[in-house]
Amino acid sequence: MTGDPSFPASRTLRSGMPPWGKAVVALLVVVAAVVVWVLDDWLSESFAVDTRNRAELRLVLYAGNIEGELQRTQVMPILLSRDPSLREALEVGNFARIPQLLISLQSEVGAASIELLDTAGRVVAATDRNRLGVSRATDLLFVDGRRATDTLFAVQPRDSGGYGFAYARAIRAGTQVLGVVTVEVDLAKFERAWAGFSEAVALIDSSGNIILSTEPRWRGRSESDALALRDAPSAIERALQFTADLTGRGPDAFLSNEAVLRSETRLQHRGWRLISYTTYAGVREKVNGVLALVIMGFALLLTLVFYVFSRRAWSQSARFEQESVELRQLNIRLQREVAAREKVQKELNVAEQTLMQSSKLAVLGEMSAAVSHELNQPLAAMKTYLAGARLLLNRRRSEEALVSFQRIDDLIDRMGAITRQLKSFARKGGDAFEPLDLRACVTQALAMMEPKLRERRVLVVRTIPKEPVMVMGDALRLEQVLINLMRNAVDATATVNAPQIDLVMTQGDTVILTIRDNGTGIADIGQIFEPFYTMKKAGEGVGLGLAISSGIVADHGGRLTARNVPEGGAAFDISLPVLVNTTEIAA
């Protein structure tokens, strides 16, 4: 059974589902029922609250638009009643330029219409030229406007249906009434704007009558009469069919068995009220859509559970077979990798031999350069001593010449020691270290540099403690460092009028020996200890002195650093550990 991948799933089902599998299925069904019930309640309330909030927000916006339109238009009658051109036209009876003036004001304010009436109630100027000559003597707006001293507002039914909203104000010359100006407010545009939404909106005056509405048959009726209409208005026809499980949760009214939400806000103008009946558009659809996805997810999960149990035995067999195939493929890959590694190992051995030979050549070159550099100093001193001895012999001062020859002999011994010492440059050991007085190393290095210092007329200022400054080290190698640093200082002061080298030694937790010159300083101080880096001309140095000196100081457990001095020149600081007592020697 396990070896046949085509084993039918039905036989696995007939073998019986394990008890824990049945418990998983039962638990999944219970969880699905609870989740669907909780989600239905929570989503229904959440979507209903969201719909209510949006409806109230739109209603506040509608009310603000109406109040803004009324306030903007209310100012026009006052301004027109004070216009000298209108007064003059009414007094002389010449209205040729008045209509154009009214039309321009209408476009700026956005009023529905503007009319100028004489004392007889005849329209003498208007934005609508078809209204010229029409008599409005019996119009209540004209009659009351003549008597009132302030701006009058009136809501009047139209013959074509609906209501008109207009302001009127008398134009006076002193106490004499010259005429009346009327400005009609265009509130009908809001009806057209409101009709684009799936809700019914109505404006109710202080007496309770609907004067504006998206439903034409609601105009002129009270709110209760409008709701009592048997057939549903067109906007309410787009309302959601509110099901019984949501009854009592949010609807404020039922129109033709359809649930709607009522919202109301008050306007500051004349006690008007603005109401809206908003449908719960999409509430049930949204809830059902989410629940359908949830139920589908649980159904897929149940299907997956049954599939897992029915295919368990087959999947184990398939897994074993797949593992066998993977093992064979892995074995082939391992064989290829072993062959590749053997080939790489052979190439690596060849590369190591080549690299070893290159390293030997590089070390040989570096050793040759180091020997050449370190032997230049005693050779230069020997040349100076030989010249002095020759001069002394010519003057028959043989005893003094013997002193020069003795110094030459000492330099020859030193050259032999240097060649022996260079063999141990690569070693970090301190077998040749012994306690020594660092002041003696300074004195010996100055003796080696004396001919060079005298030739260049360099002033050497020493600030050294009177008591011994004991360190553990190799005197010969430390002297090499000091000679190299002083030689570099002499070269750096070659172009200075009064060359000077300061040797300052201080002792604390460590011994610090500073060699400072008043030369030109260091241009690129970051690379000063790099091998083959030099500021000298070609043939005067190979750039290994400071690199070798830094290594020697490091072998002594110290540090060699360089810095430029603000007053001019450069300073090299040698830091070495202090030899406290003889117990360190035994250790």
Side-chain angles (χ1 to χ4, degrees):
M1 178 180 66
T2 58
D4 185 8
S6 61
F7 183 77
S10 59
R11 293 181 60 184
T12 306
L13 288 176
R14 285 197 296 269
S15 64
M17 183 181 294
W20 63 270
K22 296 179 180 179
V24 169
V25 172
L27 179 61
L28 193 58
V29 172
V30 173
V31 171
V34 173
V35 170
V36 169
W37 183 81
V38 172
L39 276 179
D40 178 72
D41 185 74
W42 180 76
L43 291 175
S44 298
E45 183 175 356
S46 177
F47 289 145
V49 170
D50 183 64
T51 301
R52 182 187 296 272
N53 292 338
R54 289 200 305 268
E56 292 177 353
L57 182 62
R58 283 197 300 269
L59 196 61
V60 171
L61 179 62
Y62 296 161
N65 292 337
I66 293 176
E67 290 181 350
E69 186 71 19
L70 292 173
Q71 292 175 0
R72 185 173 64 254
T73 312
Q74 185 180 5
V75 182
M76 289 304 302
I78 300 175
L79 297 178
L80 291 173
S81 64
R82 298 174 181 177
D83 193 328
S85 59
L86 295 184
R87 293 181 182 179
E88 181 181 357
L90 290 172
E91 289 175 351
V92 301
N94 184 6
F95 305 100
R97 295 183 299 175
I98 302 304
Q100 186 60 38
L101 174 63
L102 298 181
I103 291 173
S104 63
L105 291 175
Q106 178 192 21
S107 61
E108 293 178 3
V109 179
S113 65
I114 304 176
E115 295 182 356
L116 179 63
L117 288 69
D118 58 12
T119 54
R122 184 172 59 89
V123 178
V124 295
T127 54
D128 184 4
R129 299 185 183 275
N130 296 327
R131 296 280 297 171
L132 294 177
V134 175
S135 176
R136 300 181 59 182
T138 59
D139 195 334
L140 291 178
L141 189 63
F142 170 74
V143 175
D144 295 340
R146 289 188 58 185
R147 298 173 182 175
T149 57
D150 295 330
T151 303
L152 180 67
F153 180 79
V155 179
Q156 296 177 325
R158 294 177 176 175
D159 297 337
S160 59
Y163 289 85
F165 308 89
Y167 288 99
R169 187 180 180 91
I171 301 177
R172 303 175 182 273
T175 58
Q176 181 182 1
V177 177
L178 301 178
V180 177
V181 60
T182 64
V183 179
E184 185 176 356
V185 186
D186 185 13
L187 296 184
K189 63 182 178 181
F190 296 117
E191 284 185 334
R192 297 187 295 270
W194 298 338
F197 297 92
S198 58
E199 60 185 358
V201 183
L203 180 63
I204 303 176
D205 61 11
S206 56
S207 61
N209 293 326
I210 297 176
I211 54 179
L212 274 182
S213 176
T214 55
E215 308 302 326
R217 286 185 293 176
W218 284 15
R219 301 190 191 111
R221 301 175 184 270
S222 64
E223 182 180 0
S224 58
D225 293 341
L227 295 178
L229 294 176
R230 294 183 61 85
D231 52 338
S234 59
I236 303 303
E237 289 176 355
R238 297 188 294 269
L240 174 68
Q241 295 292 334
F242 211 84
T243 54
D245 61 323
L246 293 179
T247 302
R249 182 175 293 160
D252 299 321
F254 286 89
L255 300 177
S256 300
N257 297 324
E258 297 177 350
V260 292
L261 168 68
R262 182 183 185 278
S263 301
E264 177 179 335
T265 185
R266 292 187 174 272
L267 280 72
Q268 298 179 359
H269 183 78
R270 304 173 68 88
W272 287 2
R273 293 176 297 135
L274 187 63
I275 62 173
S276 68
Y277 291 96
T278 306
T279 68
Y280 286 92
V283 172
R284 190 68 255 172
E285 284 82 355
K286 292 178 182 178
V287 174
N288 292 340
V290 176
L291 293 180
L293 292 177
V294 174
I295 294 173
M296 183 182 299
F298 278 107
L300 292 175
L301 187 58
L302 280 173
T303 303
L304 180 61
V305 170
F306 283 114
Y307 177 80
V308 168
F309 284 116
S310 64
R311 304 284 288 183
R312 185 171 50 139
W314 176 88
S315 62
Q316 290 178 352
S317 176
R319 184 168 59 253
F320 293 152
E321 184 177 355
Q322 180 65 25
E323 289 177 356
S324 177
V325 173
E326 291 178 354
L327 287 175
R328 288 195 297 269
Q329 294 177 352
L330 179 60
N331 187 25
I332 295 174
R333 288 199 300 269
L334 288 176
Q335 292 177 357
R336 293 176 179 173
E337 289 182 2
V338 169
R341 287 179 181 272
E342 291 177 352
K343 181 179 179 181
V344 171
Q345 186 64 36
K346 293 179 181 179
E347 295 176 353
L348 181 60
N349 293 334
V350 175
E352 287 180 352
Q353 295 176 1
T354 304
L355 181 60
M356 185 179 302
Q357 186 66 22
S358 300
S359 300
K360 292 179 180 179
L361 293 176
V363 171
L364 180 60
E366 185 175 350
M367 289 287 292
S368 300
V371 169
S372 174
H373 175 81
E374 295 299 332
L375 293 182
N376 277 338
Q377 296 175 355
L379 286 175
M382 290 173 60
K383 185 177 181 180
T384 303
Y385 285 137
L386 285 174
R390 184 183 298 110
L391 182 60
L392 292 173
L393 290 175
N394 292 334
R395 295 180 180 179
R396 303 181 182 278
R397 297 164 60 181
S398 57
E399 293 181 358
E400 296 179 8
L402 288 176
V403 174
S404 298
F405 289 135
Q406 181 61 41
R407 289 183 178 178
I408 292 174
D409 185 63
D410 294 340
L411 289 174
I412 293 174
D413 293 339
R414 178 171 295 277
M415 291 171 63
I418 289 174
T419 56
R420 290 192 301 272
Q421 191 66 39
L422 288 176
K423 296 178 182 179
S424 62
F425 273 173
R427 295 199 301 267
K428 297 293 182 180
D431 298 338
F433 284 9
E434 59 183 0
L436 57 89
D437 188 354
L438 189 59
R439 300 180 305 167
C441 295
V442 173
T443 301
Q444 186 65 25
L446 287 174
M448 289 284 295
M449 289 296 298
E450 180 181 358
K452 188 74 171 179
L453 295 173
R454 185 181 298 109
E455 177 186 354
R456 294 288 183 87
R457 297 183 179 181
V458 178
L459 174 63
V460 178
V461 179
R462 289 187 291 178
T463 305
I464 297 177
K466 296 180 179 180
E467 62 277 4
V469 181
M470 301 303 296
V471 297
M472 179 69 74
D474 187 338
L476 179 61
R477 299 180 71 187
L478 290 178
E479 290 172 10
Q480 291 175 6
V481 173
L482 297 177
I483 292 173
N484 184 65
L485 294 178
M486 284 190 287
R487 186 178 183 85
N488 289 340
V490 171
D491 293 338
T493 58
T495 59
V496 179
N497 293 329
Q500 179 177 335
I501 298 177
D502 296 326
L503 301 176
V504 181
M505 183 183 300
T506 59
Q507 180 176 2
D509 295 336
T510 59
V511 177
I512 300 177
L513 175 59
T514 301
I515 301 175
R516 182 172 62 241
D517 62 71
N518 61 345
T520 57
I522 304 171
D524 193 352
I525 200 167
Q527 300 181 1
I528 192 66
F529 295 109
E530 295 292 334
F532 301 105
Y533 174 81
T534 180
M535 297 174 58
K536 301 177 182 179
K537 298 179 181 180
E540 295 183 1
V542 294
L544 288 174
L546 290 177
I548 296 174
S549 299
S550 178
I552 292 174
V553 175
D555 290 342
H556 284 74
R559 185 181 180 187
L560 176 61
T561 58
R563 54 189 170 89
N564 286 317
V565 181
E567 296 82 5
F572 287 84
D573 298 321
I574 302 174
S575 300
L576 295 173
V578 178
L579 180 62
V580 179
N581 49 47
T582 57
T583 58
E584 293 189 6
I585 305 174

